[in-house]
Amino acid sequence: MLTILIILFLLIAGLMAAAVLRSRALGREAERLVPQAGEIQPVPGGTIHFVDLGPRDAPVVVLIHGLSGQLQHFTYGVADLLADDFRVIALDRPGCGYSTRDSDGEAALSQQARMIWAFLDKLEVDRPVLVGHSLGGAVALAMALERPDQARALALIAPLTHDQGEESAAFKGLAVASPLKRRVIAHTIAVPMAQRSAAAVLEQVFSPEPCPEDFLVRGGGALGLRPKAFIAASADFMAANTGIAAQQARYATALKTPGGVLFGAADGLLSPARHGAPMERYGLKCEEVAGGGHMLPITVPEICDKFIRRMAAKAP
């Protein structure tokens, strides 16, 4: 009996070691495909990786990506369109892409907002237009609530704005509450499983529009195949689920920034009726893209560019 237990232990240990090595190899390959694109700025709580485009003396637009994303969601198409007339700062949210955070506690919406404001302070950026996609929309809202006099305008694209209710099946695997368990999963089974399910998940995320063939490299999607990416996404997912209800309770009294919301009418991840239309009572008109899905910055960058410009023009 003891011999059998020893054999089982060694077998399990061998499988775990193989999974760790496989995860590390996939992570290295992901970083080879999508290397660091910009500079790193230390801030309290971690570091921010960013690219800075356009004329230095132009109005500033800050581009904040969503869950399991990175700045390439905006540099894919939107950033270059804006850069003729704006100083465009596209960043990896704390913990995502090539940014870091000191602990999972920095995943809280309010803490991400503080870290990004601290980053913008370091760059001496004043009165930026905040553009947030998906979870990045929730972070942009948190930033406007944190410093209502410093946010110039809000351009929210398919944003998370209210309590989600039932979670999307695409993200159920991220619902890991324990930081320790999150890391064990990240360094063993998460990355190989993500590699196997990537095509199906991307189809669901982009639906009803197709996922571009170059998304894994040009859109940075390959960076999701790293243990770090699972840890960040899981922490973000859990923090957003617990934090968004408290945030939405503040809109009526504390949300003063002008702007608006853009949604794909066929978004299957975040409902325009739940997350877009209710924002109109706070002065943020919701527009819809007929037939559009969730990944508008990649699928319709020209529409996003025009939307952001209209929102920037609303600034007093």
Side-chain angles (χ1 to χ4, degrees), residues 91-149:
L91 57 86
D92 287 334
R93 284 190 299 100
C96 303
Y98 285 94
S99 293
T100 64
R101 54 191 178 212
D102 294 344
S103 73
D104 290 357
E106 273 79 35
L109 296 174
S110 59
Q111 186 58 19
Q112 291 199 53
R114 294 185 190 108
M115 290 178 70
I116 296 174
W117 274 126
F119 158 74
L120 294 173
D121 290 343
K122 295 274 190 180
L123 269 61
E124 299 183 343
V125 167
D126 184 47
R127 300 268 295 153
V129 175
L130 302 177
V131 180
H133 174 237
S134 193
L135 178 60
V139 174
L141 283 164
M143 292 177 68
L145 294 169
E146 174 79 13
R147 299 191 190 182
D149 296 331

Side-chain angles (χ1 to χ4, degrees), residues 1-238:
M1 183 64 178
L2 180 59
T3 301
I4 294 174
L5 290 175
I6 292 173
I7 292 172
L8 287 174
F9 172 79
L10 293 174
L11 178 60
I12 293 170
L15 291 172
M16 293 286 283
V20 169
L21 292 174
R22 177 63 174 160
S23 296
R24 290 179 179 175
L26 289 171
R28 288 193 297 270
E29 177 62 11
E31 292 180 351
R32 185 191 69 79
L33 291 171
V34 187
Q36 180 180 316
E39 303 175 58
I40 301 289
Q41 174 62 56
V43 296
T47 64
I48 300 291
H49 171 234
F50 69 102
V51 295
D52 195 343
L53 310 171
R56 303 298 89 178
D57 58 349
V60 179
V61 172
V62 178
L63 306 176
I64 308 168
H65 65 81
L67 184 68
S68 296
Q70 50 280 321
L71 62 82
Q72 284 84 357
H73 284 193
F74 282 108
T75 60
Y76 189 93
V78 175
D80 284 343
L81 294 173
L82 290 166
D84 288 340
D85 302 298
F86 296 91
R87 179 182 177 185
V88 179
I89 298 173
L91 57 86
D92 287 334
R93 284 190 299 100
C96 303
Y98 285 94
S99 293
T100 64
R101 54 191 178 212
D102 294 344
S103 73
D104 290 357
E106 273 79 35
L109 296 174
S110 59
Q111 186 58 19
Q112 291 199 53
R114 294 185 190 108
M115 290 178 70
I116 296 174
W117 274 126
F119 158 74
L120 294 173
D121 290 343
K122 295 274 190 180
L123 269 61
E124 299 183 343
V125 167
D126 184 47
R127 300 268 295 153
V129 175
L130 302 177
V131 180
H133 174 237
S134 193
L135 178 60
V139 174
L141 283 164
M143 292 177 68
L145 294 169
E146 174 79 13
R147 299 191 190 182
D149 296 331
Q150 292 189 36
R152 183 182 184 91
L154 285 168
L156 307 177
I157 303 172
L160 172 72
T161 65
H162 287 71
D163 181 47
Q164 176 72 336
E166 292 186 7
E167 65 194 40
S168 168
F171 301 117
K172 284 186 177 179
L174 298 175
V176 182
S178 164
L180 176 59
K181 184 177 179 182
R182 191 177 291 149
R183 282 158 176 75
V184 171
I185 293 172
H187 289 283
T188 53
I189 62 173
V191 175
M193 288 179 65
Q195 184 190 38
R196 288 195 293 270
S197 63
V201 170
L202 289 175
E203 181 179 3
Q204 186 174 1
V205 169
F206 276 85
S207 178
E209 299 167 292
C211 176
E213 292 183 359
D214 59 358
F215 173 71
L216 287 180
V217 176
R218 183 178 164 191
L223 291 179
L225 298 177
R226 299 181 301 166
K228 171 189 172 182
F230 177 83
I231 293 168
S234 177
D236 281 339
F237 180 79
M238 298 301 293

